[in-house]
Amino acid sequence: MITQYISKCFGLPRDTAEQLKIQYGCATPDALTEEERSLVITVRQNDVESSTEVQVGMVTLATYINRQFSEIFRMVSDRIGRLLNEGRNSSLQLTLSAGFVITGGVAKTRGIEKLAPFINGNGNPAAVKISVGLPRGVLVDPADHVRIDSPEHAVLVGMARTCSRDTKELQNFEKEDTNPTNWRGKFSQWWNDNFA
């Protein structure tokens, strides 16, 4: 959504817009330094017939990224508001009191934690906390101390841990082959070492 918007606003190919977002993106103009505020990036585009240059100001780029984050937070807040309205007569309780937890590559956007959306679940203006979700305690190779600790892996690790808990519950009902010499046993051992 963010990359597509940058592409559209600056007339850039999607892959160029993605690279621009990764390299120079900032979640809010407020997170830019004084020097960055005056910086203009020249993006060269080469196609079959010609070569053109597009000037991208850091403040403008940060403003466009901020608009898209605001739109994403608004959509989530609206959805929570609709669920609350639908559940008025039930025991459904949804709030944004804990704020938003951002995962994936977008969580690496500079200034993301300073960004404060201004709409909560009931449509009233409010500042909401932003946190970056990080996986914790997952070693891929204990001998080399290789860890999975990037926000891009947070959802995957969370799903794996949930699956692991569900699997353990199932194992109470079924006996599974955990012979450490076969592939299933080796996988089970790796799984238990990292997600149990």
Side-chain angles (χ1 to χ4, degrees):
M1 185 171 172
I2 295 170
T3 300
Q4 184 177 345
Y5 189 70
I6 293 169
S7 173
K8 178 182 161 193
C9 290
F10 291 111
L12 298 170
R14 195 176 197 298
D15 60 334
T16 303
E18 177 69 11
Q19 189 61 34
L20 190 65
K21 178 185 79 174
I22 291 168
Q23 192 170 354
Y24 299 103
C26 191
T28 175
D30 296 338
L32 295 171
T33 65
E34 259 328 292
E35 184 179 316
E36 289 173 324
R37 289 178 171 280
S38 59
L39 184 63
V40 175
I41 305 146
T42 301
V43 180
R44 288 181 177 76
Q45 298 185 86
N46 298 315
D47 60 25
V48 178
E49 298 176 13
S50 65
S51 178
T52 58
E53 291 184 350
V54 176
Q55 303 295 314
V56 177
M58 287 287 287
V59 172
T60 305
L61 179 62
T63 300
Y64 289 167
I65 291 171
N66 183 277
R67 282 183 193 158
Q68 290 306 293
F69 273 123
S70 297
E71 179 63 14
I72 291 166
F73 294 136
R74 186 198 57 75
M75 288 188 309
V76 171
S77 297
D78 287 352
R79 178 67 179 139
I80 290 171
R82 283 194 305 277
L83 287 171
L84 283 171
N85 286 335
E86 291 169 9
R88 289 212 189 272
N89 296 329
S90 71
S91 61
L92 183 64
Q93 292 290 323
L94 296 174
T95 66
L96 290 176
S97 59
F100 288 95
V101 176
I102 309 297
T103 61
V106 75
K108 289 182 164 185
T109 305
R110 190 165 46 107
I112 189 83
E113 291 174 319
K114 293 179 182 175
L115 185 65
F118 298 103
I119 304 229
N120 63 19
N122 61 16
N124 295 326
V128 178
K129 182 180 177 190
I130 304 288
S131 302
V132 174
L134 298 170
R136 292 187 180 93
V138 181
L139 284 173
V140 177
D141 185 354
D144 293 332
H145 301 288
V146 177
R147 296 185 170 278
I148 296 176
D149 58 2
S150 177
E152 290 115 321
H153 303 111
V155 173
L156 176 64
V157 169
M159 290 171 55
R161 285 190 169 141
T162 299
C163 182
S164 177
R165 279 193 299 271
D166 292 349
T167 301
K168 284 181 181 181
E169 289 177 16
L170 284 174
Q171 286 175 345
N172 290 334
F173 299 105
E174 300 175 3
K175 295 290 183 192
E176 294 201 359
D177 181 14
T178 57
N179 182 347
T181 61
N182 66 27
W183 72 269
R184 193 174 185 181
K186 289 177 183 177
F187 178 79
S188 178
Q189 183 63 46
W190 175 83
W191 185 272
N192 288 332
D193 288 346
N194 287 286
F195 301 107

